[in-house]
Amino acid sequence: MLRLEDEALLTGKGRYVADRHPGGMLAMAVLRAPLAHGAIRRLDVDAARAMPGVRLVLTAAELKAAGIGPLKVAGEIQNRDGSPMVVRHRPVLAEGAVKYVGEPIAAVIADTEAMAMDALEAIELDFDELPLVVDLEQASQPDAPRVWPELPDNRSFDWEIGNREETERLFAGAAHVVELTVHHPRIIIAPIETRGALGEYDPASGRYTLTTPSQGVMAIRATMAECLGVGADKVRVVTEDVGGSFAVKIWPYPEQVLALVAAKATGRTVQWIGSRSEGMVSDAMGRGRIDRAALALDKDYNFLAFRIDALGDMGAFINHVAATIVTKGAVRVFGHCYRIPGLYYRVQGLFTNAVPTDAYRGASKPETVSTTERLIDYAADKLGIDRFELRRRNLVTPADLPYKTAMGETYDGGDFPAIMDRILKAADVEGFPARRAESGARGRKRGLGLTFHLHATGGSTAERSEIIAQPDGTVIVRSGTQDSGQGHRTALAMVAAETLEIPVERIRVEQGDSDFLEKGGGTGGSNLMPIAANTVHRTAEQLIRQARAVAGQMLEASVQDIEYGLGEFRIAGTDRKLSLGEVAAGWAALPEGARETEMGSGCVAQLDFEGLHTTFPNGAYAVEVEVDPDTGKVDVASWTGIDDLGRVINEATALGQLHGGIGQSVGEALLEAVRYDPETGQLLSGSFMDYTLPRADDVPALDLGWAPTASPNSLIGAKGVGEVASIGGPGPVMNAVLDALKPYGIKHIDIPMTPETVWRSINES
């Protein structure tokens, strides 16, 4: 079946925060820092306050007087020596100094957006410029300019994990050691819908309501309440349709707090809709890592140990959970599909004068997997062994399962050798030399990259599901996750419908309102199927148990004699039956005090997630590219994939997730990188004229297949899909380009492999 969401979204019936225009609404505009590092010498907003239509101007002084707190770090870690990391919480508005271009300094609330924008121009602002650093490697040097002058250096944390001593021993005794440094530049996430916020305040109840695109309302609610200094019960967060996120909308932002503060101060609804240029300088960015990697092998080319010594670009402040992303998130797939006894990862998180980073689709796993796969090809070339054979002899096999890595993960399923057999055949690797010759006859260089990938699904386990049977025969399913375009409503409805044995059209999935559930972990880590869908399945089973007790009372029969199937309760061996809707109607007609049964609350079931939340979807991709040596342009000629997602609940949704992740992988490998001017800290890639997103013709027709294996950690057999392709996608593109350039003696190029980068490499070789 296709997605239940599509008709509404494709016919203009979607409802986004920008579509909300309640009567009397005011507009908010934000003044942002024009330089990367400076002390605020003068901030005069008097003229702006006197502008036509202006209702309010907020600065750090007004927020301080109102008791508004900063956006605090939610995930702190310890250094490898046991000391705490250095934390600098993010202010809602800059106070005293600015630390990056785009940092909010003031907010103007006016009758219209145009009036608010005009008033921004009237604000008088002057700075004393301070030394800055935007380059990650420069920030790591002892003599680098300090983002925070009171600190001895730019280091927020120095973290490690793995069996370090064993890894060092294995490297010392290895027959071969191969080293390579791989750069993963910052990425602008840029979902099609920009960020936005609609703030409301009810003075009678003292309650705030924030409507904003998100990936989960409960975490946003908690942060808003903390910043505002009120209890969580005084904040309601609503998320309607979301036009893409890829993690950028998970986090709380200053503009959300400002909209609520302004709503209370003005007594009016206040809306802020970010422009694309604002998003470029103010949205949390992704990636930003430099991996100094090494692989140790024995004389038979068996992998002995793998290590990465990394630098992580945190930006000027530590964003919500950014410290855990570049640390714990990065190592969940360390070594991924390969048997490697020694694993060690160290990362130093560094402050820079740039917008903060945080998770982006894959949450530091794409960097780890891409570095690993790039290093394997590099090692094969250096040691003179076939790169596919090198992979095959080091794969984890079914006989190794359950396989526990040195990072503490235990793989619960997968058949990597079988996937290798299938990908070699599906991609017609034997026929590649003929295709390379044909490309050569046209003056093109053709390359092949074949790599493996693995994801360890995650996300919050603080998930709750509620299922309500309605008298009209429909069923409401509530989840703490949040759809941002992936098709959650379809997937969860199908799981509930299967368990309840009723048509999927009778299921209505509700998300995005903190008043629905008191608990919900939101969406992240490809957690919809492993966490939310499994919880929906369990909750549907609980609903059947509870409603069976009600049906027994209504049919005047023992619960043990009541059977359930196809949406009906029946006395075993008779034709006496009641539909689920009829049972719900009977339960609803009971006095409120009589609705409880020994099995629960009748036709309303609610359960929290239980069990192991991690599954390990995996697979392999074979990518062929053509390179034009005269221009350096890379065309992706073919893409073949075999993925083990466990049971695929809805193929259209799963394929959509893979297609999107592959498109983003092509962008990451060939096109996208954030560029700051190293002298001024100005963003040089601040528009789509300067920052290249992948387009439809950058991605070839995709040949994708399934190779499912069971997951003991999933009751419904599904493993998760959202980040699989973005984790596995960049590596084969990188290797395919380097394979095409092998005749020139080029050993490595950092991403993005833009036409200019490739052309320069060819000509310099």
Side-chain angles (χ1 to χ4, degrees):
M1 65 171 284
L2 296 178
R3 304 191 327 163
L4 301 176
E5 300 88 347
D6 289 342
E7 181 179 355
L9 295 177
L10 294 174
T11 56
K13 297 175 184 175
R15 186 171 174 83
Y16 301 86
V17 65
D19 295 326
R20 295 282 301 272
H21 296 99
M25 185 182 77
L26 302 175
M28 183 173 78
V30 179
L31 178 69
R32 301 185 182 278
L35 75 168
H37 198 192
I40 300 174
R41 181 194 303 168
R42 183 166 179 260
L43 175 60
D44 189 339
V45 299
D46 288 345
R49 288 189 170 119
M51 293 283 287
V54 172
R55 304 292 177 172
L56 179 69
V57 178
L58 293 172
T59 69
E62 283 74 34
L63 297 186
K64 185 176 182 180
I68 305 302
L71 296 165
K72 293 185 177 180
V73 175
E76 296 187 24
I77 60 170
Q78 286 190 327
N79 289 310
R80 58 190 187 134
D81 64 3
S83 62
M85 65 180 285
V86 175
V87 172
R88 290 296 181 269
H89 298 302
R90 189 177 182 180
V92 175
L93 291 174
E95 182 176 8
V98 296
K99 299 293 183 179
Y100 64 92
V101 171
E103 183 176 358
I105 298 174
V108 175
I109 295 86
D111 290 345
T112 68
E113 185 180 32
M115 288 176 171
M117 295 296 290
D118 286 343
L120 289 184
E121 298 294 327
I123 295 177
E124 297 181 24
L125 184 62
D126 198 9
F127 297 93
D128 288 324
E129 294 194 32
L130 298 172
L132 63 94
V133 58
V134 291
D135 179 80
L136 181 55
E137 286 185 294
Q138 182 190 0
S140 69
Q141 300 304 309
D143 59 348
R146 303 286 187 268
V147 177
W148 297 94
E150 70 274 16
L151 297 179
D153 54 35
N154 288 313
R155 191 164 56 187
S156 170
F157 55 83
D158 184 353
W159 187 85
E160 69 176 0
I161 192 173
N163 52 357
R164 178 170 55 84
E165 292 182 358
E166 176 69 2
T167 299
E168 290 175 351
R169 185 188 68 79
L170 290 167
F171 266 99
H176 310 283
V177 173
V178 181
E179 298 178 315
L180 182 67
T181 297
V182 182
H183 291 245
H184 300 278
R186 280 173 169 249
I187 296 290
I188 293 176
I189 299 173
I192 192 168
E193 178 204 26
T194 59
R195 291 190 295 113
L198 186 87
E200 299 170 275
Y201 179 74
D202 178 14
S205 63
R207 199 164 192 239
Y208 299 87
T209 298
L210 172 68
T211 303
T212 189
S214 77
Q215 284 184 223
V217 294
M218 303 307 292
I220 301 280
R221 182 183 75 164
T223 300
M224 294 300 107
E226 183 178 43
C227 290
L228 295 167
V230 300
D233 62 317
K234 293 298 184 182
V235 179
R236 179 189 182 197
V237 178
V238 175
T239 292
E240 298 176 307
D241 287 319
V242 181
S245 177
F246 316 110
V248 74
K249 294 172 184 170
I250 294 179
W251 326 120
Y253 284 92
E255 296 86 356
Q256 295 164 328
V257 181
L258 291 169
L260 294 176
V261 172
K264 181 179 180 181
T266 61
R268 306 264 291 274
T269 300
V270 175
Q271 185 186 63
W272 171 79
I273 302 297
S275 68
R276 182 63 64 187
S277 58
E278 275 187 292
M280 293 284 196
V281 298
S282 66
D283 290 359
M285 294 182 181
R287 311 295 186 246
R289 209 173 95 188
I290 298 174
D291 289 349
R292 295 166 290 201
L295 181 66
L297 305 89
D298 68 14
K299 61 182 178 58
D300 297 318
Y301 305 112
N302 296 304
F303 297 161
L304 298 175
F306 172 55
R307 68 178 179 229
I308 292 178
D309 187 352
L311 302 177
D313 186 347
M314 310 311 296
F317 301 93
I318 305 298
N319 205 55
H320 200 60
V321 298
T324 67
I325 298 302
V326 75
T327 54
K328 299 173 185 178
V331 300
R332 300 201 66 207
V333 295
F334 212 80
H336 57 291
C337 301
Y338 304 106
R339 289 190 311 272
I340 311 178
L343 297 175
Y344 175 70
Y345 176 72
R346 177 195 178 191
V347 59
Q348 298 177 73
L350 300 171
F351 291 115
T352 58
N353 289 113
V355 68
T357 59
D358 213 310
Y360 165 51
R361 196 171 190 173
S364 215
K365 300 172 190 68
E367 297 95 298
T368 299
V369 170
S370 297
T371 291
T372 308
E373 292 291 343
R374 180 72 207 99
L375 183 58
I376 292 173
D377 260 32
Y378 185 79
D381 181 56
K382 184 175 181 178
L383 301 176
I385 181 174
D386 179 79
R387 53 195 171 136
F388 306 143
E389 172 58 27
L390 181 59
R391 285 176 169 83
R392 183 187 290 278
R393 69 176 58 186
N394 286 286
L395 288 172
V396 173
T397 70
D400 298 321
L401 299 175
Y403 179 76
K404 186 170 184 178
T405 76
M407 295 301 185
E409 298 290 345
T410 300
Y411 300 167
D412 66 339
D415 190 340
F416 310 129
I419 285 180
M420 183 156 205
D421 291 338
R422 284 194 56 184
I423 195 70
L424 290 171
K425 182 177 180 180
D428 185 23
V429 171
E430 286 187 0
F432 175 70
R435 295 191 293 277
R436 171 174 269 174
E438 188 275 331
S439 295
R442 293 185 285 105
R444 301 290 190 267
K445 300 296 182 183
R446 196 177 188 100
L448 168 65
L450 189 156
T451 64
F452 282 81
H453 53 269
L454 178 138
H455 182 20
T457 61
S460 172
T461 58
E463 177 59 22
R464 176 171 293 172
S465 295
E466 182 177 69
I467 300 184
I468 306 169
Q470 300 285 91
D472 63 359
T474 62
V475 173
I476 297 172
V477 174
R478 289 174 173 168
S479 171
T481 55
Q482 178 59 52
D483 195 328
S484 57
Q486 304 98 317
H488 285 192
R489 295 181 182 91
T490 297
L492 295 181
M494 291 180 69
V495 170
E498 178 182 75
T499 308
L500 296 173
E501 300 181 39
I502 61 176
V504 70
E505 292 78 12
R506 285 166 55 185
I507 306 290
R508 184 170 84 248
V509 175
E510 295 182 344
Q511 299 176 310
D513 192 330
S514 62
D515 279 359
F516 284 166
L517 300 170
E518 281 299 311
K519 185 177 182 182
T523 296
S526 307
N527 69 340
L528 179 75
M529 304 313 294
I531 294 178
N534 275 286
T535 306
V536 165
H537 168 74
R538 290 177 48 245
T539 308
E541 291 182 325
Q542 177 67 17
L543 176 70
I544 293 171
R545 288 190 291 270
Q546 293 178 187
R548 179 182 280 118
V550 178
Q553 294 176 13
M554 294 174 67
L555 292 169
E556 299 180 333
S558 170
V559 172
Q560 287 75 20
D561 294 333
I562 302 296
E563 298 177 340
Y564 180 82
L566 300 177
E568 294 179 333
F569 295 94
R570 181 190 302 269
I571 300 176
T574 76
D575 60 358
R576 294 183 61 201
K577 63 183 181 180
L578 292 170
S579 70
L580 180 59
E582 289 172 325
V583 172
W587 177 76
L590 293 172
E592 189 167 337
R595 293 181 184 177
E596 298 290 327
T597 73
E598 69 268 16
M599 294 186 181
S601 300
C603 293
V604 178
Q606 191 178 92
L607 289 178
D608 292 347
F609 173 78
E610 292 180 358
L612 296 173
H613 73 292
T614 300
T615 62
F616 297 91
N618 61 85
Y621 293 144
V623 174
E624 294 184 24
V625 303
E626 280 192 338
V627 177
D628 183 345
D630 294 331
T631 65
K633 187 176 187 300
V634 177
D635 291 315
V636 182
S638 68
W639 192 298
T640 306
I642 303 293
D643 279 299
D644 173 7
L645 308 178
R647 180 187 173 205
V648 175
I649 300 295
N650 183 278
E651 187 165 294
T653 298
L655 285 172
Q657 289 293 287
L658 293 178
H659 291 179
I662 288 170
Q664 287 173 308
S665 296
V666 170
E668 189 166 337
L670 300 180
L671 304 169
E672 298 183 58
V674 173
R675 303 296 187 198
Y676 284 101
D677 186 306
E679 301 298 325
T680 66
Q682 294 296 325
L683 182 64
L684 302 178
S685 50
S687 76
F688 290 148
M689 294 293 289
D690 310 296
Y691 187 90
T692 308
L693 288 178
R695 293 165 172 78
D697 60 357
D698 291 314
V699 182
L702 305 174
D703 180 9
L704 305 177
W706 312 123
T709 63
S711 170
N713 295 348
S714 175
L715 295 173
I716 60 174
K719 295 185 179 182
V721 61
E723 295 160 302
V724 170
S726 57
I727 291 171
V733 180
M734 295 161 66
N735 284 343
V737 174
L738 270 299
D739 184 52
L741 300 179
K742 190 178 273 190
Y744 299 103
I746 298 171
K747 300 299 182 182
H748 182 70
I749 299 175
D750 279 314
I751 59 174
M753 296 170 167
T754 63
E756 179 184 359
T757 300
V758 173
W759 181 87
R760 288 185 181 278
S761 297
I762 292 172
N763 283 273
E764 289 170 1
S765 70

